[in-house]
Amino acid sequence: MKYRRLGKTELNVSVIGIGTWQFGGEWGQQFNQDEVDAILDKGQECGINLIDTAECYGDHLSESFIGDYLSRRKREDWIVATKFGHHFHERFTRTDVFGAEEVLKQLDASLKALKTDYIDLYQFHSGPDEVFDNDKLWTVLDKQVQAGKIRHLGTSIGSNDNLHQTDASSQVNSQVIQVVYNRLDRTPENRVFPSCERQDLGVLARVPLASGFLSGKYKPGAQFDVTDVRHRKDAELVRRSLEEAEQIRKNEVPEGVDMARWALAWCLKHPVVSSVIPGCKNPAQVASNASAADLVD
Ligand SMILES: NC(=O)c1ccc[n+]([C@@H]2O[C@H](COP(=O)([O-])OP(=O)(O)OC[C@H]3O[C@@H](n4cnc5c(N)ncnc54)[C@H](OP(=O)(O)O)[C@@H]3O)[C@@H](O)[C@H]2O)c1
């Protein structure tokens, strides 16, 4: 494994992390604790130290699996990133809850689910600018940092061209940007990454496999189960993404190299990217993703 400094947080994150939206049950598979334990144990064995989760991957469900795991392992071995701003009702249904008081309640619910007394990185979860620009929210969060419940604040921007929230990071003491970045979508290179560089923000590249479309296992025309979030994507957009991915596989991925590994290493070629956080469904995917670090200079 290789490690990079997460901007001015000074946390040393593995270049490959583990995304855990999947544990919430919206990717065509329900998880149990043994499966989650096996995924995280494999991650640790491979040198991974970063987990990304959220309040609304199930109703704190993904966090609860992780918390149960952490309660039986060493908490300090892991950098745990979670998020605030949504209330999960049922599969694929959430509402926004970004008010300062509600966020405090969510923080306590996340700490309880994660069975910990601190969160390493607490991220604003892809909310609109109107709620981001609420000084009261950031003042309340800062108090939680002072109290030791949160080590660092971050922002997971919804649009990957959201310069407003990225540029405002230093003002609100948000030290990390999480953003969609992958070989099919290079938008952040234009405006968001230069702003991160100027402010020395850490960068977590999310959806680095383009929802699995850059894994090489799906061909144009692939269908997804109704319980899989990918079933809900615009069919024409999926078809075009899979066609583009197929061209990339033929023209850019070296012979004999697994495409998912290649796609993760591709993101890490950009020096501003601290870590990629591919969503993982089993230990084999974790091990393969971790080995992408071998392809990074
Ligand atoms: N707004 C936000 O803050 C936000 C939004 C989205 C995601 N995220 C975070 O970012 C993480 C990553 O994004 P994502 O999960 O949406 O997309 P992703 O990482 O691009 O794709 C994940 C999918 O790729 C496939 N995959 C993973 N490793 C593989 C391997 N080695 N070989 C083959 N296939 C592999 C798996 O799907 P199959 O096996 O089913 O193909 C997996 O479900 C999430 O888990 C979440 O933590 C945050």
Side-chain angles (χ1 to χ4, degrees):
M1 184 47 61
K2 295 187 171 77
Y3 301 85
R4 287 185 185 173
R5 171 181 161 273
L6 187 64
K8 54 191 157 198
T9 70
E10 299 293 345
L11 293 171
N12 211 16
V13 288
S14 50
V15 292
I16 312 290
I18 298 181
T20 66
W21 179 4
Q22 283 68 12
F23 297 172
E26 293 180 317
W27 286 73
Q29 182 182 335
Q30 299 302 310
F31 284 79
N32 62 40
Q33 190 65 51
D34 288 344
E35 289 164 336
V36 169
D37 287 0
I39 286 172
L40 298 179
D41 274 344
K42 179 55 75 179
Q44 181 161 49
E45 191 188 309
C46 298
I48 292 176
N49 66 3
L50 173 66
I51 304 175
D52 180 71
T53 182
E55 78 294 4
C56 63
Y57 298 162
D59 186 7
H60 296 278
L61 177 62
S62 170
E63 290 180 331
S64 298
F65 281 132
I66 295 161
D68 194 293
Y69 173 84
L70 291 175
S71 71
R72 289 173 284 110
R73 301 291 191 276
K74 275 213 235 129
R75 167 68 183 89
E76 61 274 21
D77 284 351
W78 291 93
I79 293 166
V80 179
T82 191
K83 314 190 188 84
F84 61 87
H86 302 279
H87 178 64
F88 175 94
H89 297 279
E90 57 179 330
R91 200 163 52 213
F92 309 129
T93 309
R94 298 139 165 75
T95 43
D96 280 7
V97 223
F98 283 98
E101 294 308 317
E102 288 93 343
V103 168
L104 279 186
K105 283 191 201 140
Q106 287 179 51
L107 171 61
D108 283 336
S110 288
L111 287 166
K112 193 170 166 210
L114 287 164
K115 291 194 168 64
T116 183
D117 50 13
Y118 70 95
I119 286 162
D120 297 280
L121 179 66
Y122 201 44
Q123 302 161 104
F124 176 88
H125 198 170
S126 305
D129 292 347
E130 303 83 79
V131 294
F132 180 92
D133 291 339
N134 172 10
D135 285 345
K136 192 169 168 217
L137 171 65
W138 295 101
T139 304
V140 159
L141 287 169
D142 228 26
K143 285 196 182 128
Q144 308 313 305
V145 175
Q146 303 308 323
K149 289 187 180 183
I150 297 169
R151 285 179 79 191
H152 303 281
L153 295 167
T155 304
S156 185
I157 51 177
S159 150
N160 62 356
D161 196 32
N162 191 320
L163 195 62
H164 175 79
Q165 292 178 19
T166 308
D167 272 350
S169 292
S170 299
Q171 278 151 260
V172 299
N173 192 28
S174 172
Q175 300 177 314
V176 175
I177 289 293
Q178 184 182 133
V179 59
V180 171
Y181 180 55
N182 60 55
R183 176 58 190 84
L184 290 182
D185 188 347
R186 306 177 64 162
T187 310
E189 290 175 5
N190 301 326
R191 304 199 308 160
V192 166
F193 284 176
S195 175
C196 293
E197 203 166 9
R198 279 195 299 276
Q199 298 175 82
D200 191 19
L201 305 176
V203 173
L204 302 182
R206 74 168 187 257
V207 199
L209 296 173
S211 308
F213 301 160
L214 285 170
S215 68
K217 67 184 173 188
Y218 297 115
K219 302 289 170 225
Q223 301 284 325
F224 297 94
D225 188 82
V226 285
T227 61
D228 188 318
V229 65
R230 291 170 288 194
H231 180 82
R232 303 170 69 84
K233 286 182 186 279
D234 178 70
E236 177 54 21
L237 190 68
V238 170
R239 193 191 57 76
R240 271 192 276 128
S241 300
L242 287 170
E243 267 173 12
E244 199 183 334
E246 185 61 11
Q247 289 310 313
I248 290 166
R249 190 184 64 75
K250 282 188 195 147
N251 301 325
E252 297 180 37
V253 183
E255 193 73 25
V257 173
D258 173 80
M259 187 167 182
R261 292 177 73 219
W262 175 87
L264 297 177
W266 181 91
C267 298
L268 287 159
K269 272 198 306 192
H270 200 296
V272 91
V273 175
S274 318
S275 179
V276 293
I277 47 167
C280 296
K281 282 180 154 172
N282 54 54
Q285 286 187 351
V286 176
S288 169
N289 294 342
S291 74
D294 299 341
L295 305 177
V296 177
D297 291 334

